[in-house]
Amino acid sequence: MIRVGIVGATGYGGAELIRLLAGHPHVQIANLYSSSVEGEALEKIFPHVFGLGLPKLAPIDAQSMSEENDVVFLATPAGVSAGLSPQLMELGGTKVIDLSGDFRLESGEAYRSWYKREPAPSEWVQKAVYGLTEWNQEQVAGASLIANPGCYPTATLLALIPVMKSGLVKPGSWIVDAKSGVSGSGRGLSMGVHFSEINENIHAYKVAKHQHTPEIEQELAKQSGVESLVQFTPHLVPMTRGILVTAYGQLEPGVSQEQVQELFESTYADKPFVRIRPAGTHPHTKEVLGSNYCDIAVHVDERTGRIILLSVIDNMVKGAAGQAIQNMNVMFQLPEQAGLPLVPVYP
Amino acid sequence: MIRVGIVGATGYGGAELIRLLAGHPHVQIANLYSSSVEGEALEKIFPHVFGLGLPKLAPIDAQSMSEENDVVFLATPAGVSAGLSPQLMELGGTKVIDLSGDFRLESGEAYRSWYKREPAPSEWVQKAVYGLTEWNQEQVAGASLIANPGCYPTATLLALIPVMKSGLVKPGSWIVDAKSGVSGSGRGLSMGVHFSEINENIHAYKVAKHQHTPEIEQELAKQSGVESLVQFTPHLVPMTRGILVTAYGQLEPGVSQEQVQELFESTYADKPFVRIRPAGTHPHTKEVLGSNYCDIAVHVDERTGRIILLSVIDNMVKGAAGQAIQNMNVMFQLPEQAGLPLVPVYP
Amino acid sequence: MIRVGIVGATGYGGAELIRLLAGHPHVQIANLYSSSVEGEALEKIFPHVFGLGLPKLAPIDAQSMSEENDVVFLATPAGVSAGLSPQLMELGGTKVIDLSGDFRLESGEAYRSWYKREPAPSEWVQKAVYGLTEWNQEQVAGASLIANPGCYPTATLLALIPVMKSGLVKPGSWIVDAKSGVSGSGRGLSMGVHFSEINENIHAYKVAKHQHTPEIEQELAKQSGVESLVQFTPHLVPMTRGILVTAYGQLEPGVSQEQVQELFESTYADKPFVRIRPAGTHPHTKEVLGSNYCDIAVHVDERTGRIILLSVIDNMVKGAAGQAIQNMNVMFQLPEQAGLPLVPVYP
Amino acid sequence: MIRVGIVGATGYGGAELIRLLAGHPHVQIANLYSSSVEGEALEKIFPHVFGLGLPKLAPIDAQSMSEENDVVFLATPAGVSAGLSPQLMELGGTKVIDLSGDFRLESGEAYRSWYKREPAPSEWVQKAVYGLTEWNQEQVAGASLIANPGCYPTATLLALIPVMKSGLVKPGSWIVDAKSGVSGSGRGLSMGVHFSEINENIHAYKVAKHQHTPEIEQELAKQSGVESLVQFTPHLVPMTRGILVTAYGQLEPGVSQEQVQELFESTYADKPFVRIRPAGTHPHTKEVLGSNYCDIAVHVDERTGRIILLSVIDNMVKGAAGQAIQNMNVMFQLPEQAGLPLVPVYP
């Protein structure tokens, strides 16, 4: 059994890791860590785990963490992993899967500019592997430190990479209009998560300023070989889970629906967590709820010459904890689907 | 007191007309019409009007309708008004405000192609005035037959017209990503409005095929003098009311935030129902709930050279019944705001 | 025009007072007060009032408040009015309508025990009139200080008083199971209003401990002449507005559905805001949304010998701001319905 | 591997059975049956199972069903199982777990009166075992035909039985106020599941008339040995999943919180799916979402002499498919928890 430790167990990312890892056949939840409430039982904070016999919350201590776990998941706010992960790496003994954004951007400059804080040590940023499993499987298999992708970038990149890589869409034409449930904002309190403010409401936020923009641009360029600015706009939807990305690109002349449909189907034919829906359909976020799937539908509008991509994930699963576990499975030579639910929760 | 008749009183559009007209100081709700449940009291269908003493539901009869009302609102499905409105026009005696799409598209060809049914008689389509009040106030004042704008076109056109008219955005570059509450689908039953299917869910629908596309293109061209294809994608959001339009256009070089902010503020300075929000803000649909406002925020992204417009309305008010009453006010020389709530319902 | 001042304008109670008073034909919103953000424009906090030209937020000062307003509404947390209202009363010049619980409980002991804080000066508590308009109309007309009823007590008392007063229900048998939307918790932040915690969720809270219990018992006893313990349990429902009270009482032998139906209909025959629904119906909270109605349905279960009362209000309107305005109307000899919407917002 | 067949695979009960059985280590989903859409792929109706390689929908035929399955789950509307289950029983070869109400009521009279239809053959009703696993484990182990409990009875009985059986509560005093998500109404279309009607709304329904009332009374009497009428009122809450039961009973004199707390904890000490929460807590439906738990909190109100029980389940899991699988596990001598998720989906 692989011994796993979870840092940030009192947040939503931590809770989702526990949900999925508790049912994982090859894993033992060895340690739960929290900087704020050490010594406490997690069920005091999360009554849904009442009676499950989980480990008590332990303080964050790199030395013991490196000794007592085979892999540590960091489900922490930006900035924490930047300090902790290099310590763990240098101690050796445990692998690290970081769900925060601290090791995703190769350029420290970009991190500083979009995150408004100091980047992690460049040495370790360069060693970290970007864990978009479907596209980096080999590097993930050999990695010690995974930068697990952001929720928006996951849904966006799985949709955009195939057509960019094939040269079918004009660089710079991408508009990515994304809609997310509220759990993506985490468990912290703010007016932006107050039920009475968010229920029966939709709004955009951080227009032209969201920190997932450079992550999308960086990985799109790496996978496709072409630099392309991306216009990214996130919206907050009155639901708890789910992300829908509606992405618009200007097609090169003459590209047909059949051609791109076939491209997507063949690209992801052997990827169990990416499901290419039939032409003409509209995937719903609810159709992947609780699961690690990314479902994608492709629409070519001949009238305007554009491709419209619809991509849905559960932001807590494929957009966070699920993909992290998928990466762990690859890192430990386990079946890629181990511990990940086969069927979404519906309705 | 102006005698008003409402056709389609058992639908949501009808209910909203009743809510607003019941408090209108210059209006008497003289007649309610329904093709399906004549003779019935409306409170049997809508318990929220219990005890209000509204007229019983009367059958649809053009002759008596033209005699007993000064104005008739048609809140009916596509196809009904195409037959009834010409009859009422020819009988004279009453003005007609049609909330359906039957008189909005000047081209019968376009109507046939997007609505998949036969268009209204061309003669009356030409005489109908498109009731986007802020832009057609003079024609509305003199009209007998109003084609009240669709919900999506209202939120879209109020945002796009100023910049297109000023030549600041490249024609053909518009991408309109719209999000709507479920009430826009009406009161009819389908899996698409089943609570368990829609709650905790978001999805796009009718990608590249929605019938509001040609309406937006037609009126944008008329007001700006420039033809421009528009990529329009509607989405269904788990909320009852509200539309948010996020519109993306490619700016001509050198256009600044200040310039477009000033353009919008001056364009709508004397329009009581359009509120231009400060630069950098993100209007929420909830901030106009129950009111006739359209709130717009303008974002210029210098990095990508695009303008991003955020426009919110209550689809039942400015997107339907409220704008219809605003048009009635103009047609009868009443104060434009008469009967329309000053303050949105919040929270 | 009556000059009104609103204390606590940055909370939801204040926002709802503004919504309703802005459209009131006999009222001018003269002053808005806030302890926290004086000098600020309210639209900075509540963008939905953007551009409405409301007064800036003024500091709380009893002297100027008493001079510049004919009536002051206090929409403040428990404890504030206990100090401020006596000051205003002693200065004279303005009437006070207090939406908090500070002047509702006649027994200081009870206040201390249920509110866990010191009560208001007994002298003023005795002078305050409990503003359940339908049952205290005469006293309200002559009052200077109104203790506006709590949201739960309003929906409960309007349902229970008629049958208790008629001696049809056994004292001590009442079980009041109440369900409320989240806006009743106010605008303050806590895990209990976090969207991700509350959405797709229902739970009871403060079982056997809610401070509205003694308020219900006190007023029920005063109106019916019979002391009766009441078992009161509130629940939080994933919606913004609305309260449903389901109340169970043990009937005296032989009481029939017809008898109680007739009792309720005659009791409230001339009360415009209480609507007795037909026998066998189930009122929905949504059917009173945004309005000042309390809708009640009566069910007699012959099998068990119980009466089941269903009572719905909008907690922000009849449960707070609307009833406060209804009381103001009575205090100033205005029509009882002035400024209060005739038709609920539906859907 | 146990071969299972699911009848009613196109409904929500069927979908939930598939979700849970697809991950069950000892089961193979051998057949899916549907009366309406035979020959179709299920993913045409439920896109969330896209690509999972489930069997095509087969017609309902007792002969082949009895041959090709070791156990058949019937997730069908009332009336279907009454005919089909006796056929399957007489053919032998397969066990049957019926999720409908057809075999729950021992009295044909009661079935006729509450369900308004003809009961199943009395012979088979007597042979059916009521599958409230925690209380009938032995009989379930030996059963061929299971009447799987209703959702409301499950949450109610697990809470009421311990105190009734111990004689701590006065018979006839029970009031059960239940709140359910919309999925309990199934996938059929009606105004009662229209999103715009149900969202932001709560209402009671079938007051004094719900068909789960006699089921609760029958099983409570069987387990406790005391007949007791139960006042049962269901409510519809704007959420998809979850049931909260708030139950009120009059305690015999002198019963303390500690006494009942201890009673519940010892009663369910070895039942993995019933979690007794600490005294003073309020379980949320969301804290059991997606899982087979029933979480119960006990409150004794010394002021009124009542016990208030709070009991929460996921109506689709412990209230339907999950308990059905729990019963299957017991019938086939599998571990009781096999295939059932350990951790609820949170948030």
Side-chain angles (χ1 to χ4, degrees):
Chain A
M1 298 291 271
I2 298 166
R3 298 167 305 157
V4 308
I6 299 171
V7 189
T10 62
Y12 290 150
E16 190 68 352
L17 284 164
I18 291 168
R19 174 174 83 95
L20 297 169
L21 291 169
H24 196 296
H26 306 296
V27 152
Q28 174 209 353
I29 300 180
N31 295 284
L32 301 178
Y33 301 98
S34 165
S35 56
S36 47
V37 284
E38 59 184 70
E40 194 77 87
L42 185 63
E43 65 193 45
K44 285 279 173 66
I45 291 135
F46 281 135
H48 74 281
V49 302
F50 181 77
L52 300 190
L54 292 169
K56 277 209 158 38
L57 294 165
I60 293 175
D61 171 71
Q63 183 67 44
S64 62
M65 290 170 81
S66 72
E67 290 164 7
E68 298 172 12
N69 304 286
D70 299 310
V71 58
V72 173
F73 292 89
L74 302 187
T76 49
V80 176
S81 174
L84 182 57
S85 291
Q87 282 185 271
L88 292 169
M89 286 295 100
E90 273 151 31
L91 286 163
T94 185
K95 296 175 189 285
V96 170
I97 301 176
D98 175 24
L99 282 78
S100 83
D102 284 0
F103 291 87
R104 295 182 198 146
L105 296 189
E106 295 178 358
S107 150
E109 186 75 17
Y111 186 89
R112 224 175 258 116
S113 154
W114 291 87
Y115 280 81
K116 313 289 180 205
R117 60 169 65 235
E118 280 307 294
S122 168
E123 172 200 352
W124 287 106
V125 172
Q126 303 316 319
K127 288 189 187 151
V129 168
Y130 188 75
L132 188 68
T133 334
E134 281 74 14
W135 289 95
N136 285 341
Q137 196 141 355
E138 223 167 295
Q139 298 96 306
V140 167
S144 300
L145 171 57
I146 295 285
N148 210 58
C151 50
Y152 289 125
T154 296
T156 303
L157 290 166
L158 291 172
L160 269 56
I161 290 172
V163 274
M164 272 304 273
K165 202 169 160 155
S166 308
L168 302 181
V169 170
K170 290 190 204 300
S173 72
W174 284 112
I175 286 171
V176 174
D177 189 285
K179 298 90 176 167
S180 175
V182 180
S183 62
S185 309
R187 207 162 162 262
L189 289 173
S190 71
M191 287 312 290
V193 299
H194 192 302
F195 183 91
S196 301
E197 305 279 321
I198 295 309
N199 182 42
E200 277 288 288
N201 196 4
I202 183 171
H203 66 90
Y205 64 101
K206 289 193 179 178
V207 168
K209 298 197 164 52
H210 196 280
Q211 70 277 10
H212 284 173
T213 310
E215 182 180 338
I216 294 168
E217 291 175 349
Q218 167 188 297
E219 295 300 317
L220 190 56
K222 275 170 72 176
Q223 295 294 345
S224 70
V226 187
E227 299 275 338
S228 172
L229 290 185
V230 170
Q231 187 77 51
F232 174 68
T233 309
H235 298 77
L236 200 66
V237 178
M239 61 186 192
T240 303
R241 288 172 178 243
I243 282 179
L244 164 61
V245 159
T246 312
Y248 303 85
Q250 195 65 42
L251 285 167
E252 297 294 343
V255 181
S256 72
Q257 173 75 41
E258 291 65 32
Q259 186 180 351
V260 284
Q261 183 76 25
E262 158 59 19
L263 168 66
F264 274 87
E265 290 180 0
S266 60
T267 301
Y268 290 115
D270 62 346
K271 302 296 179 189
F273 291 121
V274 180
R275 306 190 295 188
I276 305 306
R277 296 290 196 78
T281 58
H282 303 87
H284 295 207
T285 56
K286 200 182 185 104
E287 291 161 0
V288 296
L289 190 90
S291 81
N292 199 45
Y293 296 113
C294 176
D295 281 16
I296 298 172
V298 187
H299 293 254
V300 169
D301 186 352
E302 297 191 355
R303 207 179 69 97
T304 60
R306 286 208 190 81
I307 189 170
I308 300 107
L309 295 165
L310 305 173
S311 174
V312 294
I313 60 170
D314 182 327
N315 58 303
M316 300 296 294
V317 192
K318 184 63 176 168
Q323 184 157 245
I325 291 167
Q326 187 183 358
N327 283 323
M328 179 196 73
N329 288 342
V330 172
M331 292 161 89
F332 288 85
Q333 282 82 51
L334 300 171
E336 191 172 341
Q337 292 164 283
L340 294 165
L342 288 172
V343 184
V345 180
Y346 197 92
Chain B
M1 298 293 271
I2 298 165
R3 298 167 306 158
V4 308
I6 300 170
V7 190
T10 62
Y12 289 150
E16 189 67 352
L17 284 163
I18 290 168
R19 173 173 83 94
L20 297 170
L21 290 168
H24 194 296
H26 306 294
V27 151
Q28 173 208 356
I29 299 179
N31 296 285
L32 301 178
Y33 301 98
S34 165
S35 56
S36 47
V37 283
E38 60 183 71
E40 194 77 85
L42 185 63
E43 66 193 42
K44 284 280 174 65
I45 291 136
F46 282 133
H48 73 281
V49 303
F50 182 77
L52 300 190
L54 293 170
K56 276 208 158 43
L57 294 165
I60 292 173
D61 171 70
Q63 185 65 46
S64 63
M65 288 170 83
S66 74
E67 288 165 7
E68 298 172 13
N69 304 287
D70 300 310
V71 58
V72 173
F73 292 89
L74 302 187
T76 50
V80 176
S81 174
L84 182 57
S85 291
Q87 282 185 274
L88 290 170
M89 285 295 100
E90 272 151 30
L91 285 163
T94 185
K95 295 173 191 288
V96 168
I97 300 176
D98 175 25
L99 281 77
S100 84
D102 284 1
F103 291 87
R104 295 183 199 147
L105 296 189
E106 294 178 0
S107 150
E109 186 74 18
Y111 186 89
R112 225 176 257 113
S113 154
W114 291 87
Y115 281 80
K116 313 289 180 203
R117 58 170 65 234
E118 280 307 294
S122 167
E123 172 199 354
W124 288 106
V125 172
Q126 303 315 318
K127 287 190 187 151
V129 169
Y130 188 75
L132 188 68
T133 332
E134 281 74 14
W135 289 95
N136 285 340
Q137 195 141 354
E138 223 167 295
Q139 299 95 308
V140 167
S144 299
L145 172 57
I146 295 285
N148 210 58
C151 50
Y152 289 124
T154 296
T156 304
L157 290 165
L158 291 172
L160 270 55
I161 290 173
V163 273
M164 273 305 273
K165 200 168 162 157
S166 307
L168 303 182
V169 169
K170 291 192 205 300
S173 72
W174 284 112
I175 286 172
V176 174
D177 189 284
K179 297 91 176 168
S180 175
V182 180
S183 62
S185 309
R187 206 162 163 264
L189 289 173
S190 71
M191 285 312 289
V193 299
H194 192 301
F195 183 91
S196 300
E197 305 280 322
I198 295 308
N199 183 41
E200 277 288 293
N201 196 3
I202 183 169
H203 66 89
Y205 65 102
K206 289 192 178 179
V207 169
K209 297 199 163 52
H210 195 281
Q211 70 276 10
H212 284 174
T213 309
E215 182 180 337
I216 293 167
E217 291 176 348
Q218 168 187 295
E219 295 300 316
L220 190 56
K222 274 171 74 176
Q223 294 294 344
S224 70
V226 188
E227 299 277 338
S228 171
L229 290 185
V230 170
Q231 187 77 49
F232 175 69
T233 310
H235 299 76
L236 201 64
V237 179
M239 60 185 193
T240 304
R241 289 172 177 241
I243 281 179
L244 164 62
V245 159
T246 311
Y248 303 84
Q250 195 66 42
L251 285 169
E252 297 293 344
V255 181
S256 71
Q257 174 74 42
E258 293 65 31
Q259 186 180 352
V260 285
Q261 184 74 26
E262 157 60 21
L263 168 67
F264 274 88
E265 289 181 0
S266 60
T267 302
Y268 289 116
D270 63 343
K271 301 299 181 190
F273 290 121
V274 180
R275 304 191 297 189
I276 304 306
R277 295 291 196 80
T281 60
H282 303 88
H284 296 207
T285 56
K286 200 181 186 101
E287 291 162 359
V288 298
L289 190 92
S291 81
N292 200 46
Y293 296 112
C294 177
D295 282 14
I296 298 172
V298 187
H299 293 253
V300 169
D301 185 352
E302 296 191 355
R303 208 178 69 98
T304 61
R306 287 208 189 81
I307 189 170
I308 300 108
L309 295 165
L310 305 173
S311 173
V312 294
I313 60 169
D314 182 328
N315 59 304
M316 301 296 293
V317 192
K318 185 62 178 170
Q323 184 157 246
I325 291 168
Q326 186 183 359
N327 283 324
M328 179 196 75
N329 288 340
V330 171
M331 291 162 91
F332 287 87
Q333 283 80 49
L334 300 171
E336 192 172 341
Q337 291 164 285
L340 293 165
L342 289 172
V343 185
V345 180
Y346 197 90
Chain C
M1 300 291 272
I2 298 165
R3 298 165 308 158
V4 308
I6 299 170
V7 190
T10 61
Y12 290 150
E16 189 68 352
L17 284 164
I18 290 168
R19 174 174 83 94
L20 297 170
L21 290 169
H24 195 297
H26 306 296
V27 151
Q28 174 210 354
I29 298 179
N31 296 285
L32 301 179
Y33 301 98
S34 165
S35 57
S36 48
V37 282
E38 60 182 72
E40 194 78 86
L42 186 63
E43 65 192 44
K44 285 280 172 66
I45 291 136
F46 282 135
H48 73 281
V49 302
F50 182 77
L52 299 190
L54 292 169
K56 276 208 160 39
L57 294 166
I60 293 176
D61 170 71
Q63 185 65 45
S64 62
M65 289 170 82
S66 73
E67 289 166 6
E68 297 172 12
N69 304 286
D70 299 310
V71 58
V72 173
F73 292 89
L74 302 187
T76 49
V80 176
S81 175
L84 181 58
S85 292
Q87 281 186 273
L88 291 170
M89 285 295 100
E90 273 152 31
L91 286 164
T94 185
K95 295 173 191 289
V96 169
I97 300 175
D98 176 25
L99 282 77
S100 84
D102 284 0
F103 290 87
R104 294 182 198 148
L105 296 190
E106 295 178 358
S107 152
E109 187 74 16
Y111 186 90
R112 225 175 258 115
S113 154
W114 291 87
Y115 281 81
K116 312 291 179 205
R117 57 170 68 234
E118 281 306 295
S122 167
E123 173 199 352
W124 287 107
V125 171
Q126 303 315 318
K127 288 190 185 150
V129 169
Y130 188 75
L132 189 67
T133 332
E134 281 75 13
W135 288 95
N136 285 340
Q137 195 142 356
E138 225 167 293
Q139 299 96 304
V140 167
S144 298
L145 173 58
I146 295 286
N148 210 59
C151 50
Y152 289 124
T154 296
T156 303
L157 290 165
L158 290 172
L160 268 55
I161 290 172
V163 274
M164 272 305 273
K165 202 172 160 154
S166 307
L168 302 180
V169 169
K170 290 192 205 302
S173 72
W174 285 112
I175 286 172
V176 174
D177 190 284
K179 297 91 177 166
S180 175
V182 181
S183 61
S185 308
R187 207 161 162 265
L189 289 174
S190 71
M191 286 312 289
V193 299
H194 192 302
F195 184 90
S196 301
E197 304 280 320
I198 294 310
N199 182 42
E200 276 289 290
N201 195 4
I202 182 170
H203 66 90
Y205 64 101
K206 290 192 179 179
V207 168
K209 298 200 164 48
H210 195 280
Q211 69 277 10
H212 285 174
T213 309
E215 181 180 338
I216 293 168
E217 291 177 347
Q218 167 186 297
E219 295 300 317
L220 191 56
K222 275 170 72 175
Q223 294 294 344
S224 71
V226 187
E227 298 278 337
S228 172
L229 290 185
V230 170
Q231 187 76 51
F232 175 69
T233 310
H235 298 76
L236 200 65
V237 179
M239 61 187 193
T240 303
R241 289 173 177 240
I243 282 178
L244 164 62
V245 160
T246 312
Y248 304 84
Q250 196 64 43
L251 285 168
E252 296 294 343
V255 181
S256 71
Q257 172 77 41
E258 293 65 33
Q259 187 180 350
V260 285
Q261 183 76 25
E262 157 60 21
L263 169 65
F264 273 88
E265 289 181 358
S266 61
T267 301
Y268 290 116
D270 62 343
K271 302 297 180 191
F273 290 121
V274 181
R275 306 191 295 188
I276 306 306
R277 295 291 195 79
T281 59
H282 303 87
H284 295 206
T285 55
K286 200 180 185 108
E287 291 161 1
V288 296
L289 190 92
S291 82
N292 200 46
Y293 294 114
C294 176
D295 281 15
I296 297 172
V298 186
H299 293 254
V300 170
D301 185 352
E302 297 190 355
R303 207 178 70 98
T304 60
R306 288 210 188 79
I307 188 169
I308 300 107
L309 295 165
L310 305 173
S311 175
V312 294
I313 60 170
D314 183 328
N315 58 304
M316 300 297 294
V317 192
K318 185 62 176 169
Q323 185 157 245
I325 291 167
Q326 188 183 357
N327 283 324
M328 179 196 74
N329 288 341
V330 172
M331 291 161 90
F332 288 87
Q333 283 81 51
L334 301 171
E336 193 173 340
Q337 292 164 282
L340 293 165
L342 290 172
V343 184
V345 180
Y346 198 90
Chain D
M1 297 294 271
I2 298 164
R3 299 166 306 156
V4 308
I6 299 170
V7 189
T10 62
Y12 289 149
E16 190 68 353
L17 283 164
I18 291 167
R19 174 174 81 95
L20 297 169
L21 290 168
H24 196 296
H26 306 293
V27 152
Q28 171 208 359
I29 299 179
N31 296 285
L32 301 178
Y33 302 98
S34 164
S35 58
S36 47
V37 283
E38 60 183 71
E40 193 78 85
L42 185 63
E43 65 191 44
K44 284 280 174 64
I45 290 134
F46 281 134
H48 73 281
V49 301
F50 181 77
L52 301 191
L54 293 168
K56 276 207 159 42
L57 294 165
I60 292 175
D61 171 70
Q63 185 66 45
S64 63
M65 289 169 82
S66 73
E67 290 164 7
E68 298 172 12
N69 305 286
D70 301 309
V71 59
V72 173
F73 292 88
L74 301 186
T76 49
V80 176
S81 173
L84 181 58
S85 291
Q87 283 186 272
L88 291 169
M89 286 295 100
E90 273 151 30
L91 286 163
T94 184
K95 296 174 189 288
V96 169
I97 300 176
D98 175 25
L99 283 76
S100 84
D102 284 1
F103 291 87
R104 295 183 199 147
L105 296 188
E106 295 178 358
S107 151
E109 187 75 16
Y111 186 90
R112 226 176 256 115
S113 155
W114 291 88
Y115 281 81
K116 313 288 178 206
R117 58 170 66 234
E118 280 307 294
S122 167
E123 172 199 354
W124 287 107
V125 172
Q126 302 315 319
K127 288 191 187 150
V129 169
Y130 187 75
L132 188 67
T133 332
E134 282 74 14
W135 289 95
N136 285 341
Q137 196 141 353
E138 223 166 295
Q139 300 95 307
V140 167
S144 298
L145 173 57
I146 295 284
N148 209 58
C151 49
Y152 290 125
T154 296
T156 303
L157 290 165
L158 290 173
L160 269 55
I161 289 172
V163 274
M164 272 304 272
K165 201 169 161 156
S166 309
L168 302 182
V169 169
K170 291 191 204 301
S173 72
W174 284 113
I175 287 172
V176 175
D177 191 283
K179 298 88 177 168
S180 176
V182 180
S183 61
S185 308
R187 207 161 162 264
L189 289 174
S190 71
M191 285 312 289
V193 299
H194 192 302
F195 184 90
S196 301
E197 306 279 322
I198 295 309
N199 181 42
E200 275 289 290
N201 196 4
I202 182 170
H203 67 89
Y205 64 101
K206 289 193 178 177
V207 169
K209 297 196 164 53
H210 196 279
Q211 70 276 9
H212 285 174
T213 310
E215 181 180 339
I216 294 168
E217 292 175 349
Q218 167 186 298
E219 295 300 316
L220 190 57
K222 275 171 71 176
Q223 295 293 345
S224 71
V226 188
E227 299 277 337
S228 172
L229 290 184
V230 171
Q231 187 77 50
F232 174 70
T233 310
H235 299 76
L236 200 65
V237 178
M239 61 187 192
T240 302
R241 289 171 176 241
I243 282 180
L244 164 63
V245 160
T246 312
Y248 304 85
Q250 195 66 44
L251 285 169
E252 296 295 344
V255 181
S256 71
Q257 173 76 40
E258 291 66 32
Q259 190 180 350
V260 286
Q261 183 75 25
E262 157 59 21
L263 169 66
F264 274 86
E265 289 180 1
S266 59
T267 302
Y268 290 116
D270 63 343
K271 303 297 181 189
F273 290 122
V274 181
R275 305 190 296 187
I276 305 306
R277 295 290 196 80
T281 58
H282 303 88
H284 296 206
T285 56
K286 200 180 187 107
E287 291 161 359
V288 297
L289 191 92
S291 82
N292 200 45
Y293 295 113
C294 176
D295 280 15
I296 298 173
V298 186
H299 293 253
V300 170
D301 186 353
E302 296 190 356
R303 208 179 68 99
T304 61
R306 287 206 189 81
I307 189 170
I308 300 107
L309 295 165
L310 306 173
S311 174
V312 296
I313 59 169
D314 182 328
N315 59 304
M316 301 297 293
V317 191
K318 185 62 179 168
Q323 185 157 242
I325 291 166
Q326 186 183 359
N327 283 323
M328 179 195 75
N329 288 341
V330 172
M331 293 162 89
F332 287 87
Q333 284 80 49
L334 301 170
E336 193 173 341
Q337 292 165 282
L340 294 165
L342 289 173
V343 185
V345 180
Y346 197 91

